[in-house]
Amino acid sequence: MSKKKKLMAETELASAEIIHPAEDPKLRLLNVSYIYSKGTPFEMKALDSVSLDIHRGKLTGIIGHTGSGKSTMVQLFNGLTTPTSGKVLLDGEDIWAKPKEIGKIRFRVGLVMQYPEYQLFEETVSADIAFGPKNMGLSGEEIIERVNEAASFVGLPQNLMDQSPFDLSGGQKRRVAIAGIMAMRPEVLVLDEPAAGLDPQGRRAIFSGIKRYNRETGCTVIIVSHSMEDMAEFCDDVVVMAHSKVLMAGSRDEIFSHAEKLEEVGLDIPQITRLALMLEKEGITFPESLYTVGYATEAFAALFDLGEGGGV
Amino acid sequence: MKGFALGQYYPADSVIHRLDPRMKVIAAILYIVASFLCKNFFAFVLLVVSALFLTLVSKIPLKILLRSIRALIFIMIFTAVINIFWFTEPDAEPLLAWKFIKIYRGGLFNALFILVRILAMVIGTSIFLTYTTSPIALTDAIEHLLRPLAKIKVPVHEFAMMMTIALRFIPTIVEETDKIMSAQKARGADFTTGSLMSRAKALIPVIIPLFASAFRRAGELATAMECRCYHGGEGRTKLRILRYHVRDFVALFVIFLFVGGIIAINIFGAKYGWVYTM
Ligand SMILES: Nc1ncnc2c1ncn2[C@@H]1O[C@H](COP(=O)(O)OP(=O)(O)OP(=O)(O)O)[C@@H](O)[C@H]1O
Ligand SMILES: [Mg+2]
């Protein structure tokens, strides 16, 4: 790149308007675009100059309709793909500054891909979970400790650890795959649709395991999901994507107070929020936006208390 | 990887794209035959002109076409060089002689001719078959053309079905390989550094899941086909019925004209002793 061009690119980056900015973001995307099959008739722009901050230590949910570019975005976070233009900053440093050392970035940002159960290959579950830590060059004891810790986060019972991963159920395979990344103890854990295709109980188990990981280790966690209800229940921050761009991002409260906007782009809002919106149309107001059943119960109780002057 | 997954087929709106695939298979065969028939300089000129003509008519960008040539560049140069050194003319003065190496004028021409011949064949077949014909249409055409063999109990339909399925799954498997490789890279697998042995070993985490899923897919597909009562080719009708149009016969006529032209040039060349024959 010529000096002039470089300067221009830098000023452009400086002028990027970051969505949901943070003082000290864990991850920052600066004007990131990604184009599949560039230079062929099948060219496809999957991300269109996205500038976004992921807050340190938070559990961030990414939602968006199918094909909105969620998977494309999360693969940029750990350097699996290189942005067509723009920069990905981890702790303020460009992850592609030293392309040779991208392997180190992949240990710091752990990515669980969509439908990860097909990546299992070892003879036993514990050996498969140990694959990542082994690649990091850890000692035997350390590996065993991490494998057990990761297995407990995702709720894998001890008696499964010596079975072949090919003999497990779909949900169990999913847990093994997630544990395989968790065992690397990445600073940022990214999960692409970790609960897709699981039953409600399986979903809850996986989500609460991930949340526990976030709270106990203090690591930044990013979850891609279709389910608004899960997002509403488990996430601190929410990023909404639509048509290769970030439509909005912010804390959970901020995002769900724009429930109507979410519906406009074809996303499902939690049923309880929809109910609250309907009631608001009828003239019943709530002090804050409702998105989980827990909050709603309290809010309704408070409402009835006021309405009927005490006991029900 | 992705470029390969999409195959070589290049969607465009050209006369060649619209030709019947059976006619294109025949045309490709005739074109190869023609390039082998070329015997003298003028015949080769006609061959080059025809290759340029095909490129223009097919609307395939030169850049894309060059890609298929690039894959064969080594073989082409190798054959050409071998030809330069191998050629001997007993009663001609060598252009260059150094120890046992002698290079003759005829050798240079020979190398050039062979280069042109390979180039023309690659361009001809890739334009007729790969760039303008989707793989599925191609299998369909081959099944049609080989149908007479079914009379002598060759399982033509089964072969065609196998080919169709294989073609159908190449992109899927390439995509899956990509995905599994990414997933293992995310777990710190390294496919690019280290000795040959360690790199081969690094592929184990890719190959095992790939095979597992290929077998699973094969099983699922077989079940799905059985559920829809697939029972082989007998009495089976086609969704897309191939029909010849006027343009197909025009194209065939042009090709025959071209082959005839080359034969005519050869005969004249032999009669009047045109130079640079091979
Ligand atoms: N390997 C690829 N080659 C070409 N185009 C692709 C590829 N992967 C994705 N795309 C395209 O990029 C766009 C964004 O895809 P992406 O996978 O990021 O969507 P997504 O938001 O993750 O969707 P989903 O919710 O279905 O997983 C889509 O329109 C898709 O067709
Ligand atoms: Mg996706």
Side-chain angles (χ1 to χ4, degrees), chain B residues 27-54:
Chain B
I29 294 171
L30 285 176
Y31 196 80
I32 293 175
V33 170
S35 66
F36 271 105
L37 284 177
C38 289
K39 282 274 181 284
N40 63 43
F41 185 78
F42 295 101
F44 278 107
V45 170
L46 182 57
L47 193 62
V48 170
V49 170
S50 74
L52 291 177
F53 174 76
L54 278 181

PDB file of all heavy atoms in Angstrom, chain B residues 27-54:
ATOM      1  N   ALA B  27     -19.292 -32.513 -30.264  1.00  0.00           N
ATOM      2  CA  ALA B  27     -18.455 -31.433 -30.783  1.00  0.00           C
ATOM      3  C   ALA B  27     -17.067 -31.485 -30.159  1.00  0.00           C
ATOM      4  O   ALA B  27     -16.056 -31.328 -30.857  1.00  0.00           O
ATOM      5  CB  ALA B  27     -19.111 -30.078 -30.515  1.00  0.00           C
ATOM      6  N   ALA B  28     -17.022 -31.730 -28.848  1.00  0.00           N
ATOM      7  CA  ALA B  28     -15.724 -31.769 -28.167  1.00  0.00           C
ATOM      8  C   ALA B  28     -14.868 -32.897 -28.722  1.00  0.00           C
ATOM      9  O   ALA B  28     -13.669 -32.725 -28.969  1.00  0.00           O
ATOM     10  CB  ALA B  28     -15.933 -31.937 -26.669  1.00  0.00           C
ATOM     11  N   ILE B  29     -15.505 -34.059 -28.965  1.00  0.00           N
ATOM     12  CA  ILE B  29     -14.746 -35.193 -29.506  1.00  0.00           C
ATOM     13  C   ILE B  29     -14.219 -34.851 -30.899  1.00  0.00           C
ATOM     14  O   ILE B  29     -13.042 -35.051 -31.207  1.00  0.00           O
ATOM     15  CB  ILE B  29     -15.641 -36.461 -29.558  1.00  0.00           C
ATOM     16  CG1 ILE B  29     -15.984 -36.875 -28.122  1.00  0.00           C
ATOM     17  CG2 ILE B  29     -14.925 -37.589 -30.289  1.00  0.00           C
ATOM     18  CD1 ILE B  29     -17.021 -37.971 -28.033  1.00  0.00           C
ATOM     19  N   LEU B  30     -15.105 -34.272 -31.729  1.00  0.00           N
ATOM     20  CA  LEU B  30     -14.675 -33.914 -33.081  1.00  0.00           C
ATOM     21  C   LEU B  30     -13.546 -32.893 -33.042  1.00  0.00           C
ATOM     22  O   LEU B  30     -12.613 -32.928 -33.839  1.00  0.00           O
ATOM     23  CB  LEU B  30     -15.864 -33.358 -33.880  1.00  0.00           C
ATOM     24  CG  LEU B  30     -16.876 -34.404 -34.343  1.00  0.00           C
ATOM     25  CD1 LEU B  30     -18.056 -33.738 -35.025  1.00  0.00           C
ATOM     26  CD2 LEU B  30     -16.207 -35.395 -35.283  1.00  0.00           C
ATOM     27  N   TYR B  31     -13.631 -31.984 -32.066  1.00  0.00           N
ATOM     28  CA  TYR B  31     -12.617 -30.944 -31.972  1.00  0.00           C
ATOM     29  C   TYR B  31     -11.255 -31.539 -31.630  1.00  0.00           C
ATOM     30  O   TYR B  31     -10.235 -31.153 -32.192  1.00  0.00           O
ATOM     31  CB  TYR B  31     -13.029 -29.910 -30.919  1.00  0.00           C
ATOM     32  CG  TYR B  31     -12.258 -28.628 -31.031  1.00  0.00           C
ATOM     33  CD1 TYR B  31     -12.608 -27.679 -31.981  1.00  0.00           C
ATOM     34  CD2 TYR B  31     -11.176 -28.390 -30.210  1.00  0.00           C
ATOM     35  CE1 TYR B  31     -11.893 -26.509 -32.110  1.00  0.00           C
ATOM     36  CE2 TYR B  31     -10.449 -27.231 -30.326  1.00  0.00           C
ATOM     37  CZ  TYR B  31     -10.811 -26.290 -31.270  1.00  0.00           C
ATOM     38  OH  TYR B  31     -10.102 -25.145 -31.401  1.00  0.00           O
ATOM     39  N   ILE B  32     -11.267 -32.521 -30.738  1.00  0.00           N
ATOM     40  CA  ILE B  32     -10.002 -33.181 -30.373  1.00  0.00           C
ATOM     41  C   ILE B  32      -9.435 -33.916 -31.582  1.00  0.00           C
ATOM     42  O   ILE B  32      -8.242 -33.824 -31.899  1.00  0.00           O
ATOM     43  CB  ILE B  32     -10.225 -34.172 -29.204  1.00  0.00           C
ATOM     44  CG1 ILE B  32     -10.592 -33.392 -27.946  1.00  0.00           C
ATOM     45  CG2 ILE B  32      -8.984 -35.010 -28.958  1.00  0.00           C
ATOM     46  CD1 ILE B  32     -10.944 -34.263 -26.767  1.00  0.00           C
ATOM     47  N   VAL B  33     -10.340 -34.624 -32.298  1.00  0.00           N
ATOM     48  CA  VAL B  33      -9.903 -35.336 -33.496  1.00  0.00           C
ATOM     49  C   VAL B  33      -9.278 -34.350 -34.483  1.00  0.00           C
ATOM     50  O   VAL B  33      -8.188 -34.578 -35.025  1.00  0.00           O
ATOM     51  CB  VAL B  33     -11.101 -36.067 -34.146  1.00  0.00           C
ATOM     52  CG1 VAL B  33     -10.715 -36.599 -35.521  1.00  0.00           C
ATOM     53  CG2 VAL B  33     -11.580 -37.188 -33.245  1.00  0.00           C
ATOM     54  N   ALA B  34      -9.951 -33.218 -34.670  1.00  0.00           N
ATOM     55  CA  ALA B  34      -9.461 -32.221 -35.624  1.00  0.00           C
ATOM     56  C   ALA B  34      -8.061 -31.745 -35.240  1.00  0.00           C
ATOM     57  O   ALA B  34      -7.185 -31.612 -36.092  1.00  0.00           O
ATOM     58  CB  ALA B  34     -10.432 -31.049 -35.683  1.00  0.00           C
ATOM     59  N   SER B  35      -7.862 -31.525 -33.933  1.00  0.00           N
ATOM     60  CA  SER B  35      -6.550 -31.000 -33.544  1.00  0.00           C
ATOM     61  C   SER B  35      -5.456 -32.044 -33.766  1.00  0.00           C
ATOM     62  O   SER B  35      -4.304 -31.688 -33.975  1.00  0.00           O
ATOM     63  CB  SER B  35      -6.582 -30.533 -32.090  1.00  0.00           C
ATOM     64  OG  SER B  35      -6.768 -31.621 -31.244  1.00  0.00           O
ATOM     65  N   PHE B  36      -5.849 -33.321 -33.746  1.00  0.00           N
ATOM     66  CA  PHE B  36      -4.848 -34.343 -34.042  1.00  0.00           C
ATOM     67  C   PHE B  36      -4.601 -34.503 -35.533  1.00  0.00           C
ATOM     68  O   PHE B  36      -3.556 -34.996 -35.947  1.00  0.00           O
ATOM     69  CB  PHE B  36      -5.275 -35.702 -33.452  1.00  0.00           C
ATOM     70  CG  PHE B  36      -4.795 -35.875 -32.050  1.00  0.00           C
ATOM     71  CD1 PHE B  36      -5.662 -35.752 -30.986  1.00  0.00           C
ATOM     72  CD2 PHE B  36      -3.452 -36.109 -31.797  1.00  0.00           C
ATOM     73  CE1 PHE B  36      -5.214 -35.881 -29.694  1.00  0.00           C
ATOM     74  CE2 PHE B  36      -2.992 -36.239 -30.511  1.00  0.00           C
ATOM     75  CZ  PHE B  36      -3.873 -36.123 -29.448  1.00  0.00           C
ATOM     76  N   LEU B  37      -5.598 -34.103 -36.323  1.00  0.00           N
ATOM     77  CA  LEU B  37      -5.452 -34.254 -37.768  1.00  0.00           C
ATOM     78  C   LEU B  37      -4.492 -33.222 -38.350  1.00  0.00           C
ATOM     79  O   LEU B  37      -3.895 -33.454 -39.393  1.00  0.00           O
ATOM     80  CB  LEU B  37      -6.823 -34.113 -38.444  1.00  0.00           C
ATOM     81  CG  LEU B  37      -7.754 -35.316 -38.322  1.00  0.00           C
ATOM     82  CD1 LEU B  37      -9.083 -35.008 -38.972  1.00  0.00           C
ATOM     83  CD2 LEU B  37      -7.112 -36.546 -38.950  1.00  0.00           C
ATOM     84  N   CYS B  38      -4.347 -32.090 -37.678  1.00  0.00           N
ATOM     85  CA  CYS B  38      -3.532 -30.998 -38.218  1.00  0.00           C
ATOM     86  C   CYS B  38      -2.141 -31.485 -38.599  1.00  0.00           C
ATOM     87  O   CYS B  38      -1.433 -32.059 -37.772  1.00  0.00           O
ATOM     88  CB  CYS B  38      -3.401 -29.871 -37.192  1.00  0.00           C
ATOM     89  SG  CYS B  38      -4.912 -28.983 -36.959  1.00  0.00           S
ATOM     90  N   LYS B  39      -1.759 -31.223 -39.859  1.00  0.00           N
ATOM     91  CA  LYS B  39      -0.484 -31.761 -40.322  1.00  0.00           C
ATOM     92  C   LYS B  39       0.486 -30.664 -40.740  1.00  0.00           C
ATOM     93  O   LYS B  39       1.678 -30.897 -40.817  1.00  0.00           O
ATOM     94  CB  LYS B  39      -0.721 -32.692 -41.528  1.00  0.00           C
ATOM     95  CG  LYS B  39      -1.246 -34.064 -41.123  1.00  0.00           C
ATOM     96  CD  LYS B  39      -0.110 -34.999 -40.777  1.00  0.00           C
ATOM     97  CE  LYS B  39      -0.623 -36.366 -40.404  1.00  0.00           C
ATOM     98  NZ  LYS B  39      -1.205 -36.353 -39.040  1.00  0.00           N
ATOM     99  N   ASN B  40      -0.010 -29.488 -41.086  1.00  0.00           N
ATOM    100  CA  ASN B  40       0.939 -28.457 -41.507  1.00  0.00           C
ATOM    101  C   ASN B  40       0.593 -27.085 -40.948  1.00  0.00           C
ATOM    102  O   ASN B  40      -0.429 -26.895 -40.293  1.00  0.00           O
ATOM    103  CB  ASN B  40       1.051 -28.424 -43.032  1.00  0.00           C
ATOM    104  CG  ASN B  40      -0.272 -28.059 -43.672  1.00  0.00           C
ATOM    105  OD1 ASN B  40      -0.947 -27.158 -43.201  1.00  0.00           O
ATOM    106  ND2 ASN B  40      -0.642 -28.784 -44.713  1.00  0.00           N
ATOM    107  N   PHE B  41       1.479 -26.166 -41.236  1.00  0.00           N
ATOM    108  CA  PHE B  41       1.417 -24.841 -40.652  1.00  0.00           C
ATOM    109  C   PHE B  41       0.036 -24.199 -40.795  1.00  0.00           C
ATOM    110  O   PHE B  41      -0.524 -23.665 -39.841  1.00  0.00           O
ATOM    111  CB  PHE B  41       2.468 -23.962 -41.335  1.00  0.00           C
ATOM    112  CG  PHE B  41       2.574 -22.604 -40.743  1.00  0.00           C
ATOM    113  CD1 PHE B  41       3.246 -22.400 -39.552  1.00  0.00           C
ATOM    114  CD2 PHE B  41       1.993 -21.516 -41.373  1.00  0.00           C
ATOM    115  CE1 PHE B  41       3.354 -21.147 -39.000  1.00  0.00           C
ATOM    116  CE2 PHE B  41       2.084 -20.256 -40.822  1.00  0.00           C
ATOM    117  CZ  PHE B  41       2.765 -20.079 -39.634  1.00  0.00           C
ATOM    118  N   PHE B  42      -0.543 -24.280 -41.996  1.00  0.00           N
ATOM    119  CA  PHE B  42      -1.814 -23.580 -42.220  1.00  0.00           C
ATOM    120  C   PHE B  42      -2.961 -24.242 -41.471  1.00  0.00           C
ATOM    121  O   PHE B  42      -3.888 -23.589 -41.036  1.00  0.00           O
ATOM    122  CB  PHE B  42      -2.091 -23.480 -43.721  1.00  0.00           C
ATOM    123  CG  PHE B  42      -1.078 -22.621 -44.400  1.00  0.00           C
ATOM    124  CD1 PHE B  42      -0.034 -23.176 -45.116  1.00  0.00           C
ATOM    125  CD2 PHE B  42      -1.139 -21.232 -44.269  1.00  0.00           C
ATOM    126  CE1 PHE B  42       0.931 -22.380 -45.715  1.00  0.00           C
ATOM    127  CE2 PHE B  42      -0.172 -20.434 -44.857  1.00  0.00           C
ATOM    128  CZ  PHE B  42       0.861 -20.995 -45.578  1.00  0.00           C
ATOM    129  N   ALA B  43      -2.839 -25.569 -41.339  1.00  0.00           N
ATOM    130  CA  ALA B  43      -3.861 -26.268 -40.547  1.00  0.00           C
ATOM    131  C   ALA B  43      -3.818 -25.773 -39.107  1.00  0.00           C
ATOM    132  O   ALA B  43      -4.860 -25.538 -38.486  1.00  0.00           O
ATOM    133  CB  ALA B  43      -3.632 -27.771 -40.614  1.00  0.00           C
ATOM    134  N   PHE B  44      -2.604 -25.576 -38.597  1.00  0.00           N
ATOM    135  CA  PHE B  44      -2.494 -25.089 -37.220  1.00  0.00           C
ATOM    136  C   PHE B  44      -3.015 -23.666 -37.081  1.00  0.00           C
ATOM    137  O   PHE B  44      -3.590 -23.293 -36.063  1.00  0.00           O
ATOM    138  CB  PHE B  44      -1.046 -25.194 -36.721  1.00  0.00           C
ATOM    139  CG  PHE B  44      -0.713 -26.568 -36.230  1.00  0.00           C
ATOM    140  CD1 PHE B  44       0.099 -27.400 -36.974  1.00  0.00           C
ATOM    141  CD2 PHE B  44      -1.245 -27.030 -35.043  1.00  0.00           C
ATOM    142  CE1 PHE B  44       0.373 -28.677 -36.539  1.00  0.00           C
ATOM    143  CE2 PHE B  44      -0.966 -28.301 -34.591  1.00  0.00           C
ATOM    144  CZ  PHE B  44      -0.158 -29.133 -35.344  1.00  0.00           C
ATOM    145  N   VAL B  45      -2.803 -22.858 -38.153  1.00  0.00           N
ATOM    146  CA  VAL B  45      -3.359 -21.506 -38.119  1.00  0.00           C
ATOM    147  C   VAL B  45      -4.879 -21.585 -37.987  1.00  0.00           C
ATOM    148  O   VAL B  45      -5.484 -20.890 -37.166  1.00  0.00           O
ATOM    149  CB  VAL B  45      -2.959 -20.714 -39.383  1.00  0.00           C
ATOM    150  CG1 VAL B  45      -3.736 -19.408 -39.457  1.00  0.00           C
ATOM    151  CG2 VAL B  45      -1.463 -20.450 -39.380  1.00  0.00           C
ATOM    152  N   LEU B  46      -5.462 -22.472 -38.769  1.00  0.00           N
ATOM    153  CA  LEU B  46      -6.919 -22.626 -38.704  1.00  0.00           C
ATOM    154  C   LEU B  46      -7.339 -23.069 -37.292  1.00  0.00           C
ATOM    155  O   LEU B  46      -8.342 -22.601 -36.736  1.00  0.00           O
ATOM    156  CB  LEU B  46      -7.381 -23.644 -39.748  1.00  0.00           C
ATOM    157  CG  LEU B  46      -8.898 -23.865 -39.833  1.00  0.00           C
ATOM    158  CD1 LEU B  46      -9.615 -22.555 -40.119  1.00  0.00           C
ATOM    159  CD2 LEU B  46      -9.235 -24.889 -40.918  1.00  0.00           C
ATOM    160  N   LEU B  47      -6.550 -23.930 -36.676  1.00  0.00           N
ATOM    161  CA  LEU B  47      -6.860 -24.414 -35.325  1.00  0.00           C
ATOM    162  C   LEU B  47      -6.839 -23.256 -34.325  1.00  0.00           C
ATOM    163  O   LEU B  47      -7.745 -23.110 -33.496  1.00  0.00           O
ATOM    164  CB  LEU B  47      -5.839 -25.481 -34.922  1.00  0.00           C
ATOM    165  CG  LEU B  47      -6.172 -26.309 -33.679  1.00  0.00           C
ATOM    166  CD1 LEU B  47      -7.437 -27.102 -33.885  1.00  0.00           C
ATOM    167  CD2 LEU B  47      -5.015 -27.240 -33.344  1.00  0.00           C
ATOM    168  N   VAL B  48      -5.820 -22.413 -34.427  1.00  0.00           N
ATOM    169  CA  VAL B  48      -5.722 -21.267 -33.519  1.00  0.00           C
ATOM    170  C   VAL B  48      -6.916 -20.339 -33.719  1.00  0.00           C
ATOM    171  O   VAL B  48      -7.548 -19.891 -32.750  1.00  0.00           O
ATOM    172  CB  VAL B  48      -4.388 -20.513 -33.751  1.00  0.00           C
ATOM    173  CG1 VAL B  48      -4.390 -19.195 -32.992  1.00  0.00           C
ATOM    174  CG2 VAL B  48      -3.226 -21.368 -33.324  1.00  0.00           C
ATOM    175  N   VAL B  49      -7.221 -20.080 -34.993  1.00  0.00           N
ATOM    176  CA  VAL B  49      -8.362 -19.197 -35.278  1.00  0.00           C
ATOM    177  C   VAL B  49      -9.637 -19.768 -34.659  1.00  0.00           C
ATOM    178  O   VAL B  49     -10.430 -19.050 -34.042  1.00  0.00           O
ATOM    179  CB  VAL B  49      -8.523 -19.006 -36.804  1.00  0.00           C
ATOM    180  CG1 VAL B  49      -9.828 -18.295 -37.120  1.00  0.00           C
ATOM    181  CG2 VAL B  49      -7.350 -18.224 -37.358  1.00  0.00           C
ATOM    182  N   SER B  50      -9.811 -21.088 -34.811  1.00  0.00           N
ATOM    183  CA  SER B  50     -11.041 -21.692 -34.286  1.00  0.00           C
ATOM    184  C   SER B  50     -11.104 -21.574 -32.760  1.00  0.00           C
ATOM    185  O   SER B  50     -12.165 -21.320 -32.187  1.00  0.00           O
ATOM    186  CB  SER B  50     -11.128 -23.153 -34.710  1.00  0.00           C
ATOM    187  OG  SER B  50     -10.206 -23.911 -33.964  1.00  0.00           O
ATOM    188  N   ALA B  51      -9.945 -21.720 -32.100  1.00  0.00           N
ATOM    189  CA  ALA B  51      -9.937 -21.614 -30.641  1.00  0.00           C
ATOM    190  C   ALA B  51     -10.318 -20.193 -30.215  1.00  0.00           C
ATOM    191  O   ALA B  51     -11.094 -19.990 -29.278  1.00  0.00           O
ATOM    192  CB  ALA B  51      -8.568 -21.989 -30.084  1.00  0.00           C
ATOM    193  N   LEU B  52      -9.778 -19.210 -30.937  1.00  0.00           N
ATOM    194  CA  LEU B  52     -10.130 -17.812 -30.632  1.00  0.00           C
ATOM    195  C   LEU B  52     -11.619 -17.577 -30.852  1.00  0.00           C
ATOM    196  O   LEU B  52     -12.294 -16.926 -30.051  1.00  0.00           O
ATOM    197  CB  LEU B  52      -9.316 -16.850 -31.502  1.00  0.00           C
ATOM    198  CG  LEU B  52      -7.822 -16.790 -31.187  1.00  0.00           C
ATOM    199  CD1 LEU B  52      -7.106 -15.872 -32.162  1.00  0.00           C
ATOM    200  CD2 LEU B  52      -7.622 -16.305 -29.758  1.00  0.00           C
ATOM    201  N   PHE B  53     -12.107 -18.126 -31.969  1.00  0.00           N
ATOM    202  CA  PHE B  53     -13.524 -17.984 -32.304  1.00  0.00           C
ATOM    203  C   PHE B  53     -14.399 -18.558 -31.178  1.00  0.00           C
ATOM    204  O   PHE B  53     -15.335 -17.908 -30.704  1.00  0.00           O
ATOM    205  CB  PHE B  53     -13.783 -18.693 -33.636  1.00  0.00           C
ATOM    206  CG  PHE B  53     -15.225 -18.749 -34.035  1.00  0.00           C
ATOM    207  CD1 PHE B  53     -15.860 -17.615 -34.544  1.00  0.00           C
ATOM    208  CD2 PHE B  53     -15.951 -19.930 -33.919  1.00  0.00           C
ATOM    209  CE1 PHE B  53     -17.189 -17.664 -34.914  1.00  0.00           C
ATOM    210  CE2 PHE B  53     -17.279 -19.986 -34.281  1.00  0.00           C
ATOM    211  CZ  PHE B  53     -17.904 -18.846 -34.776  1.00  0.00           C
ATOM    212  N   LEU B  54     -14.054 -19.756 -30.720  1.00  0.00           N
ATOM    213  CA  LEU B  54     -14.827 -20.396 -29.646  1.00  0.00           C
ATOM    214  C   LEU B  54     -14.829 -19.527 -28.385  1.00  0.00           C
ATOM    215  O   LEU B  54     -15.855 -19.326 -27.743  1.00  0.00           O
ATOM    216  CB  LEU B  54     -14.230 -21.755 -29.289  1.00  0.00           C
ATOM    217  CG  LEU B  54     -14.619 -22.932 -30.164  1.00  0.00           C
ATOM    218  CD1 LEU B  54     -13.947 -24.187 -29.646  1.00  0.00           C
ATOM    219  CD2 LEU B  54     -16.130 -23.110 -30.163  1.00  0.00           C
TER     220      LEU B  54
END
